[in-house]
């Protein structure tokens, strides 16, 4: 009956939430008809309507050490779930939330909740979606929700105890059905990259068979691993062609710069991190090579593993009396190289702002 009311009521009017009408109607029927249905009062017993008392816990260093790890875990999971709730509501109303405001508000709320004997709370997806479905569009909706629950706690708790548990289940079922964007789900399964489909389906089934926390934890880790794999696949090192190379077409030869065969030019594309660092060692040279120019304009970032590979490349070049010359090193890689001491090792003169200057410098060295 509650489900039917919530489905039919919006056709009558959207001024009053259908879920509220369903709760009032079914509660009245259960109460006056004396139906044998579980209610909030029968399941949870006597409900106390008194305002919780302030209680400041005795804080000690031992307690802090014991609670630090679980507190950090709860804080991270609560933040993820709350921001996920905000993203869901963004999609429902076509707006954008303020992440910092959400997290600061949640943090302050949980501090005061603990002082009054409460447990850590998060932004609940089901309750947020129910709020949005019933017309909530601004933070005032959340404040109104809070005030309403406080009034119920202090004044209407005896009446709240009469609400059937099956009615609450019906509200959650309808909210969940409205939240489930099956059209987008199946569209993503058909059109999204395989890695995204894996994360989507895995998170979906983990949520169904376990719970949301497990699904988010594993989903985030899986997404990170697949993202690193994708970034490693995009990283590449290309060798520049000479004008007299056999595979150069006539039209292509006119666009190439004529450089001596004693100079080899390589261009690195993509981020150089631990998953792609070994590609740097693919830079090779011939017996007549005297200088190797490495163009890095398409390298946005570099990490310690890639720096280790660059050191190995430099040592290998040094043994063969080959000069390494770098062109167009971006800000982050340049900072890492400077901090690592690699610039001083290679020599500042071997770093140039663009490929033209680098090639001119290389030609002077090999003359």
């Amino acid at each position: 009956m509650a489900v039917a009311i919530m489905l039919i009521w919006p056709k009558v009017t959207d001024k009053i939430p259908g879920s509220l009408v369903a709760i009032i109607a079914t509660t009245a029927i259960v109460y006056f008809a004396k139906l044998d249905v579980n209610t909030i009062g029968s399941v949870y017993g006597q409900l106390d309507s008194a305002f919780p008392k302030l209680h400041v816990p005795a804080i000690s260093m031992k307690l802090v050490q014991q609670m630090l790890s679980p507190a950090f875990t709860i804080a991270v999971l609560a933040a993820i779930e709350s921001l996920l709730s905000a993203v869901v509501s963004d999609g429902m109303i076509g707006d954008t939330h303020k992440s910092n405001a959400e997290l600061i508000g949640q943090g302050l709320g949980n501090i005061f909740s603990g002082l009054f004997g409460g447990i850590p709370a998060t932004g609940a997806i089901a309750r947020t979606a129910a709020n949005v479905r019933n017309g909530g569009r601004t933070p005032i909706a959340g404040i109104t929700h809070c005030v309403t629950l406080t009034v119920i706690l202090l004044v209407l708790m005896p009446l709240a105890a009469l609400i059937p548990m099956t009615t609450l289940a019906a509200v959650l079922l309808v909210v969940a059905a409205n939240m489930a964007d099956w059209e987008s789900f199946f569209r993503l399964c058909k059109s999204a990259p395989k890695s995204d489909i894996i994360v989507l389906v895995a998170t979906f089934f983990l949520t169904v068979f376990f719970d949301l926390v497990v699904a988010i934890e594993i989903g985030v880790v899986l997404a990170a691993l697949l993202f690193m794999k994708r970034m490693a696949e995009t990283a590449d090192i290309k060798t520049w062609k000479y004008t007299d190379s056999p595979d150069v077409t006539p039209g292509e030869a006119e666009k190439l710069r004529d450089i001596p065969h004693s100079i080899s030019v390589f261009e690195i594309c993509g981020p150089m991190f631990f998953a792609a660092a070994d590609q740097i060692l693919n830079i090779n040279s011939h017996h007549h090579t005297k200088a190797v120019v490495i163009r890095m304009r398409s390298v946005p970032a570099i990490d310690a593993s890639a720096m280790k590979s660059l050191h190995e490349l430099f040592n290998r070049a040094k043994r063969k009396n080959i000069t390494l010359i770098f062109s167009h090193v971006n800000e982050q890689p340049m900072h890492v190289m400077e901090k690592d001491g690699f610039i001083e090792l290679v020599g500042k003169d071997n770093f140039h702002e663009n490929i033209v200057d680098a090639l001119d410098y290389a030609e002077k060295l090999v003359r």
Side-chain angles (χ1 to χ4, degrees):
M1 184 182 295
V3 171
I5 292 173
M6 283 184 283
L7 294 178
I8 297 173
W9 186 259
K11 299 178 181 179
V12 178
T13 179
D14 57 357
K15 301 299 182 182
I16 303 175
S19 55
L20 180 60
V21 175
I23 290 174
I24 295 174
T26 54
T27 300
I29 292 173
V30 169
Y31 178 74
F32 291 109
K34 306 296 182 183
L35 298 181
D36 185 18
V37 177
N38 284 334
T39 63
I40 294 178
S42 65
V43 172
Y44 295 104
Q46 184 66 31
L47 300 180
D48 188 6
S49 61
F51 196 84
K53 295 181 180 179
L54 177 65
H55 175 72
V56 180
I59 300 176
S60 64
M61 184 56 66
K62 183 179 180 180
L63 180 64
V64 171
Q65 292 175 346
Q66 290 176 345
M67 295 293 104
L68 189 60
S69 178
F72 180 79
T73 302
I74 291 173
V76 171
L77 292 177
I80 292 173
E81 186 169 359
S82 295
L83 294 181
L84 182 60
S85 301
V87 170
V88 170
S89 62
D90 285 347
M92 296 173 71
I93 66 176
D95 200 354
T96 303
H97 70 279
K98 298 178 181 178
S99 300
N100 290 339
E102 295 286 341
L103 296 180
I104 291 174
Q106 177 186 293
L108 291 174
N110 279 333
I111 289 174
F112 285 97
S113 173
L115 294 177
F116 286 91
I119 61 174
T122 70
I125 296 178
R127 293 164 71 93
T128 301
N131 206 338
V132 172
R133 287 291 178 183
N134 289 312
R137 291 294 182 273
T138 69
I140 301 300
I143 297 174
T144 304
H145 182 264
C146 171
V147 173
T148 303
L149 287 180
T150 304
V151 172
I152 292 174
L153 171 67
L154 298 178
V155 180
L156 303 177
M157 185 59 75
L159 296 178
L162 301 177
I163 298 175
M165 297 298 293
T166 49
T167 299
L168 297 182
V171 173
L172 287 178
L173 282 172
V174 173
V175 169
N178 291 331
M179 285 172 55
D181 190 356
W182 291 108
E183 183 180 350
S184 297
F185 183 90
F186 290 119
R187 186 181 71 251
L188 287 172
C189 288
K190 292 179 181 178
S191 60
K194 290 183 179 179
S195 58
D196 292 337
I197 296 174
I198 292 172
V199 175
L200 175 67
V201 174
T203 305
F204 173 78
F205 282 108
L206 287 170
T207 304
V208 172
F209 292 107
F210 294 94
D211 59 45
L212 185 64
V213 174
V214 174
I216 291 175
E217 288 177 333
I218 297 179
V220 169
V221 173
L222 184 61
L225 293 175
L226 291 173
F227 175 77
M228 287 188 290
K229 179 179 180 296
R230 190 183 301 172
M231 288 297 100
E233 291 174 349
T234 59
D236 188 25
I237 295 180
K238 300 178 182 178
T239 306
W240 274 29
K241 297 179 181 179
Y242 296 100
T243 54
D244 57 353
S245 296
D247 57 340
V248 173
T249 61
E252 187 180 14
E254 297 174 357
K255 300 178 182 179
L256 298 176
R257 173 167 171 168
D258 188 13
I259 58 175
H261 281 267
S262 56
I263 300 175
S264 296
V265 183
F266 296 88
E267 182 166 0
I268 304 177
C269 301
M272 288 288 106
F273 62 111
F274 61 88
D278 58 336
Q279 294 199 34
I280 295 176
L281 298 179
N282 292 333
I283 296 177
N284 49 34
S285 59
H286 304 286
H287 65 278
H288 53 264
T289 301
K290 295 182 181 179
V292 172
V293 178
I294 301 176
R295 195 181 194 188
M296 298 183 63
R297 64 172 182 172
S298 300
V299 181
I302 193 171
D303 71 354
S305 298
M307 285 306 307
K308 182 176 181 296
S309 297
L310 284 176
H311 275 282
E312 293 181 19
L313 178 65
F314 173 77
N315 293 331
R316 192 169 64 188
K318 187 176 181 181
R319 288 194 297 268
K320 297 181 180 180
N321 293 321
I322 297 174
T323 303
L324 285 185
I325 302 170
F326 292 86
S327 162
H328 201 147
V329 181
N330 290 312
E331 184 178 354
Q332 193 275 348
M334 182 67 79
H335 176 72
V336 173
M337 289 180 178
E338 186 175 2
K339 187 177 180 181
D340 184 76
F342 186 73
I343 295 179
E344 185 176 351
L345 180 66
V346 176
K348 291 184 178 180
D349 293 339
N350 294 329
F351 285 82
H352 298 270
E353 292 184 358
N354 55 68
I355 189 64
V356 176
D357 291 345
L359 290 175
D360 291 341
Y361 178 74
E363 290 179 359
K364 290 180 182 178
L365 290 180
V366 299
R367 283 174 186 171

